[in-house]
Amino acid sequence: VMDELIPVSSSLDTCRSTIQHLNGQLSAYGDTLQLQAELQATTQRLEHLQSEHAALLLALEALETANQTLQNRFAPALGQRTAQLFHQLTNGRYQRVVLNRDLHLSAEPAGDHLYRDISLLSAGAADQLYLAARLAICETVLPAEKAAPIVLDDALANFDDDRCAAALRLLKELAKERQILLFTCHDREAAFFAGDEEVTILQLTNSAEKV
């Protein structure tokens, strides 16, 4: 809507300027038929643009209201589920997560009531928090009764071995509710699930891709 509103506003300014110019010409040269026709056409164009501008403003207001409603409805539940997943990924090192109105993330370490902005977390913990948030969003948008598959492309590439193992255990647990496809160019994910009959591993050339 904003992309449409800006050019309409610009056209309104252009029409107003044209009308002022034509009125000036009428005053200088008299009521000629040509100038009167141009003035009438521009005035009609202005009225049309004013109506379009008002409609776009109304649509923008409705979108902002809808966005606020969605944030108020889903942000608390999303934050709670993200916290649960983050707690599992970090083996209990963090216990709460907060999403502000812009869905920006902060986390509370266990035993410490001071929330840490995601930018203050270690790179590994931040990656875990982002993964927890993405998984929570998938569950919120596509709940169990609409359990579409989740596709992850090298989502654990920056995790150290301990974080990778924790993430793989969590993904296997979540896979009981929906299919999870993890594509990776590393071998450790396949090695982790070696011998696990509940996990299917497809090896392509020198890469490991787990389905």
Side-chain angles (χ1 to χ4, degrees), residues 54-207:
L56 289 172
L57 285 177
L58 184 61
L60 181 60
E61 181 181 349
L63 286 174
E64 290 175 345
T65 301
N67 181 56
Q68 185 61 52
T69 300
L70 286 173
Q71 288 183 358
N72 292 338
R73 180 181 301 173
F74 291 110
L78 185 58
Q80 183 178 8
R81 183 53 179 155
T82 300
Q84 293 171 350
L85 296 172
F86 191 46
H87 183 79
Q88 291 180 256
L89 285 171
T90 60
N91 295 318
R93 290 195 298 273
Y94 291 85
Q95 59 185 13
R96 292 188 180 87
V97 171
V98 167
L99 286 80
N100 66 12
R101 293 181 61 183
D102 297 323
L103 300 183
H104 188 77
L105 293 161
S106 300
E108 178 187 304
D112 186 345
H113 297 296
L114 180 63
Y115 280 90
R116 307 284 198 277
D117 185 88
I118 192 170
S119 62
L120 301 178
L121 300 180
S122 67
D127 286 340
Q128 287 175 305
L129 183 51
Y130 280 128
L131 176 60
R134 291 198 297 269
L135 292 172
I137 290 171
C138 289
E139 291 184 6
T140 301
V141 176
L142 297 170
E145 60 271 18
K146 299 179 181 179
I150 294 176
V151 180
L152 301 173
D153 185 7
D154 250 341
L156 313 181
N158 296 325
F159 285 21
D160 59 29
D161 290 343
D162 290 339
R163 288 189 170 96
C164 180
L168 291 174
R169 285 192 293 269
L170 175 61
L171 291 176
K172 181 180 176 181
E173 178 183 335
L174 297 178
K176 296 176 183 178
E177 301 294 332
R178 71 182 72 229
Q179 185 181 34
I180 296 180
L181 308 176
L182 174 62
F183 295 88
T184 178
C185 60
H186 301 282
D187 295 327
R188 61 180 179 175
E189 290 86 349
F192 181 86
F193 286 117
D196 191 330
E197 296 181 355
E198 296 179 340
V199 177
T200 300
I201 299 173
L202 299 180
Q203 190 87 16
L204 301 177
T205 64
N206 293 323
S207 299

